[in-house]
């Protein structure tokens, strides 16, 4: 995956960009985890200050997928911490994108998974199990659907309706 470059993908897919099949998220995310480049099919979650569904999803086999979490942009608590980063690594997830916060940053940075989040906050989330899975979400200035593809590197994050040839 290291050979993939989001900038090159944008340059070589102008038609997909113009028709909306390839979109770039706004550059609002900070990078965590050992993987600077990651990609895979998207699984979406919509939660607010509650990470029960996040844990439930990361306990499943990731098979190279990317979990994209719409946490409502809340900066009041973390939705992903070191234990969940390790769980993602162990279960074969390629990456996690959080429209919200992470915690245990040093632990996440030791995990072989790519993580993008708005920032960090040491407070943990609630544990009520509220939220939705596999639903369209809107983060980073774009609509993201379950099953689309995410590509991330040091330049940014792209969302594609289909898998791109890399």
């Amino acid at each position: 995956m290291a050979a993939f470059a989001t900038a090159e993908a944008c340059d070589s897919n102008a038609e997909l960009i113009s028709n909306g099949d390839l979109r770039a998220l706004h550059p609002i995310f900070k990078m965590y985890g050992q993987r600077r480049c990651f990609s895979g099919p998207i699984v979406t979650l919509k939660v607010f200050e509650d990470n029960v569904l996040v844990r439930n999803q990361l306990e499943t086999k990731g098979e190279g997928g990317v979990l994209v979490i719409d946490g409502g942009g809340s900066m009041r608590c973390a939705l992903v911490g070191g234990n969940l980063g390790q769980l993602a690594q162990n279960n074969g997830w390629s990456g996690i994108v959080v429209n919200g916060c992470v915690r245990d940053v040093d632990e996440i940075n030791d995990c072989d998974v790519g993580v993008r989040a708005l920032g960090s906050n040491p407070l943990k989330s609630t544990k009520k199990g509220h939220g939705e899975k596999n639903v369209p979400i809107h983060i980073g200035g774009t609509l993201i659907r379950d099953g689309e593809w995410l590509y991330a590197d040091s330049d940014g994050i792209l969302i594609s309706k289909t898998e791109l040839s890399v």
Side-chain angles (χ1 to χ4, degrees):
M1 173 64 210
F4 183 82
T6 57
E8 189 175 306
C10 290
D11 293 349
S12 59
N13 290 288
E15 185 176 330
L16 293 178
I17 291 170
S18 65
N19 70 19
D21 287 348
L22 181 62
R23 293 135 9 238
L25 297 188
H26 293 166
I28 56 175
F29 296 96
K30 296 179 181 179
M31 294 174 40
Y32 305 96
Q34 289 185 0
R35 290 191 192 182
R36 293 304 187 215
C37 295
F38 61 93
S39 66
I42 295 169
V43 174
T44 61
L45 288 179
K46 185 174 183 128
V47 299
F48 188 72
E49 298 180 358
D50 182 336
N51 76 346
V52 170
L53 294 182
V54 176
R55 172 175 286 283
N56 290 348
Q57 191 62 48
L58 292 175
E59 286 175 342
T60 67
K61 293 295 177 197
E63 299 175 344
V66 180
L67 183 59
V68 181
I69 306 161
D70 181 0
S74 174
M75 304 293 280
R76 298 189 309 190
C77 66
L79 293 174
V80 174
N83 291 337
L84 295 186
Q86 189 65 49
L87 194 58
Q89 173 187 302
N90 294 347
N91 286 327
W93 291 88
S94 174
I96 305 168
V97 176
V98 185
N99 184 31
C101 289
V102 297
R103 70 184 205 159
D104 306 321
V105 169
D106 292 337
E107 292 175 30
I108 289 174
N109 286 340
D110 286 340
C111 294
D112 183 22
V113 66
V115 178
R116 302 292 188 273
L118 299 179
S120 62
N121 186 321
L123 295 173
K124 66 181 180 178
S125 73
T126 62
K127 313 284 187 226
K128 296 179 181 173
H130 297 154
E132 298 175 274
K133 177 180 162 183
N134 307 116
V135 295
I137 57 177
H138 192 274
I139 64 171
T142 192
L143 180 66
I144 302 171
R145 293 174 190 87
D146 199 75
E148 291 187 309
W149 279 73
L150 184 141
Y151 298 87
D153 67 7
S154 297
D155 286 333
I157 303 172
L158 298 177
I159 305 296
S160 177
K161 274 195 174 183
T162 58
E163 183 177 6
L164 300 174
S165 36
V166 270

